[in-house]
Amino acid sequence: MLLRIFASILLSGTLVRATTGFSISFKTEGGCSTASGTGGSFVVSVPTITTTSTISTAITEKEVTVPATSTVTADPVTTTAVSTQTIWSFTTSTVTVPTTTSWKGAESIVATVTWPSTVCTNDVTPSTVTEYTGSYTPISGQVTTIPASYPSEVLCATSVTWLTYYFPTATSGSTTVTSTPTSTVYTSTTTKTIINSYAETTFATTVSSVTTSYRIASSIATTSTACQVTATTTLAAKCAPTNVIAGVGDHGLVSGKYAGNTTVIYLRDEKYIDPSLCCQLCQDNEGCAGMMAGIGGYCGLLYVPNPNGTPGPVCDFVFTYQTQSNVFPLQGLWVQSGCGEIDYTGSDGV
């Protein structure tokens, strides 16, 4: 028994070395589900809650045995060649073009958006009573009621698995690799000439032209007054919460195409995140063609510049909107016309 143990140790002594390499990779898996809510305040922008879990896994591959390598240097090999010298030369010619255009930028203010701000001097925070004027006819299929059940949050779970692969390698025996040194001797030199031609452009005349960019200015009209306990706010019928367009059929809205040079101003005043108040602000500002609110909590007022260059906006077509199957009613965009035209173009195909 003792001899067998010694023999085993001697045999294992023939191994020169053992090494273990490794590589690391990972894979990610996940999915989302939608939770529904009822009652209370309707969620305009659905929040997403994400959880992540991590797992580490080690995988050891079967050991591979390879021979040790030794290198033997052979006699050097010399080759002869002819070297090439390259000479570069350049020629220039002139091309005259009759006319060029020099562009200059200009800025045009399409309109100034004004929104009111009331400061109560008597420390009263009034409760608001809302009244509506005029009439409104919903578009075909428009969602005009808040559903009994609606998406309240999106729950996403992500699993990350880290994989560590180990590759054990044992070295046993030997193999020989022959290395042959090489060198090159140049016996003579030849010359190669390359001619490159370049054309310079000159212009006989220069014409100046102006490109115009458009923007909306803004101002706040602040009123300081002793407030009453109850304040009455009057909105146009089209701006009632159930009349601002936020869904058609079973789907919510996304934007479509815009009129040329459409200009928009975004208000992030907390008050006007309410689509109804954003809609009314568009009605109250002359030349506002349409409004768009919703995603991200903003109020956008859109204007169309006068196409003939005359200062001021025009009450014309401003944008299209459409439905998208993965957007819920009342939880995508909210849109309504001002003095201009907005068009529903159906589903975007998603």
Side-chain angles (χ1 to χ4, degrees), residues 237-253:
K238 63 164 58 176
C239 295
T242 55
N243 289 342
V244 180
I245 306 169
V248 177
D250 296 327
H251 306 303
L253 306 182

Side-chain angles (χ1 to χ4, degrees), residues 15-21 63-66 167-172:
L15 296 176
V16 176
R17 68 177 184 275
T19 60
T20 300
E63 183 180 78
V64 177
T65 302
V66 298
F167 305 95
T169 301
T171 303
S172 178

Side-chain angles (χ1 to χ4, degrees), residues 15 23 96 132 140 166 186 213:
L15 296 176
S23 67
T96 301
Y132 299 96
S140 178
Y166 293 98
Y186 295 95
S213 61

Side-chain angles (χ1 to χ4, degrees), residues 6 8 45 66 71 81 89 94 98 122-123 133 140 147-148 163 168 262 285 306 320 327 339 342:
F6 285 153
S8 175
S45 182
V66 298
T71 302
S89 65
T94 301
N122 55 348
D123 295 327
T133 61
S140 178
L163 303 170
T262 294
N285 277 271
N306 199 314
T320 65
V327 179
C339 69
I342 64 175

Side-chain angles (χ1 to χ4, degrees), residues 3-340:
L3 290 175
R4 290 181 181 178
I5 294 174
F6 285 153
S8 175
I9 295 173
L10 289 174
L11 287 173
S12 65
T14 63
L15 296 176
V16 176
R17 68 177 184 275
T19 60
T20 300
F22 68 92
S23 67
I24 298 176
S25 63
F26 69 92
K27 63 179 181 180
T28 302
E29 299 175 324
C32 296
S33 61
T34 302
S36 295
T38 58
S41 299
F42 188 85
V43 181
V44 174
S45 182
V46 182
T48 298
I49 300 175
T50 301
T51 57
T52 302
S53 59
T54 302
I55 302 172
S56 297
T57 302
I59 301 173
T60 301
E61 303 291 349
K62 183 179 179 181
E63 183 180 78
V64 177
T65 302
V66 298
T69 302
S70 60
T71 302
V72 176
T73 302
D75 294 334
V77 175
T78 302
T79 57
T80 59
V82 177
S83 66
T84 300
Q85 175 184 342
T86 302
I87 299 176
W88 297 84
S89 65
F90 303 90
T91 61
T92 303
S93 60
T94 301
V95 177
T96 301
V97 177
T99 305
T100 184
T101 302
S102 175
W103 292 94
K104 296 181 180 179
E107 184 179 74
S108 175
I109 296 177
V110 178
T112 298
V113 172
T114 301
W115 65 92
S117 175
T118 301
V119 177
C120 294
T121 59
N122 55 348
D123 295 327
V124 171
T125 302
S127 60
T128 302
V129 175
T130 303
E131 297 179 347
Y132 299 96
T133 61
S135 61
Y136 173 72
T137 301
I139 67 169
S140 178
Q142 178 179 344
V143 176
T144 57
T145 58
I146 295 178
S149 176
Y150 48 82
S152 59
E153 62 183 3
V154 176
L155 305 174
C156 295
T158 302
S159 173
V160 180
T161 302
W162 288 92
L163 303 170
T164 303
Y165 293 89
Y166 293 98
F167 305 95
T169 301
T171 303
S172 178
S174 64
T175 185
T176 301
V177 176
T178 301
S179 173
T180 303
T182 61
S183 61
T184 302
V185 175
Y186 295 95
T187 59
S188 60
T189 301
T190 61
T191 301
K192 178 174 67 174
T193 302
I194 297 177
I195 300 175
N196 289 303
S197 298
Y198 294 91
E200 294 182 352
T201 302
T202 61
F203 301 96
T205 58
T206 299
V207 177
S208 296
S209 187
V210 177
T211 177
T212 303
S213 61
Y214 300 92
R215 75 177 182 89
I216 306 296
S218 63
S219 67
I220 302 175
T222 302
T223 302
S224 297
T225 184
C227 295
Q228 301 297 317
V229 175
T230 302
T232 300
T233 298
T234 302
L235 305 181
K238 63 164 58 176
C239 295
T242 55
N243 289 342
V244 180
I245 306 169
V248 177
D250 296 327
H251 306 303
L253 306 182
V254 294
S255 61
K257 297 181 179 180
Y258 296 84
N261 292 327
T262 294
T263 305
V264 60
I265 182 170
Y266 294 105
L267 307 178
R268 298 195 178 274
D269 186 315
E270 183 176 355
K271 174 180 178 180
Y272 295 105
I273 291 177
D274 182 332
S276 287
L277 298 182
C278 178
C279 173
Q280 187 59 44
L281 190 62
C282 182
Q283 312 305 311
D284 293 339
N285 277 271
E286 183 180 359
C288 177
M291 56 76 59
M292 184 180 293
I295 298 175
Y298 69 86
C299 169
L301 305 186
L302 294 93
Y303 289 76
V304 181
N306 199 314
N308 62 15
T310 302
V314 293
C315 294
D316 207 339
F317 164 76
V318 59
F319 65 82
T320 65
Y321 59 96
Q322 50 201 344
T323 53
Q324 187 167 292
S325 62
N326 59 358
V327 179
F328 299 103
L330 285 72
Q331 293 180 326
L333 292 179
W334 295 60
V335 301
Q336 189 54 277
S337 61
C339 69

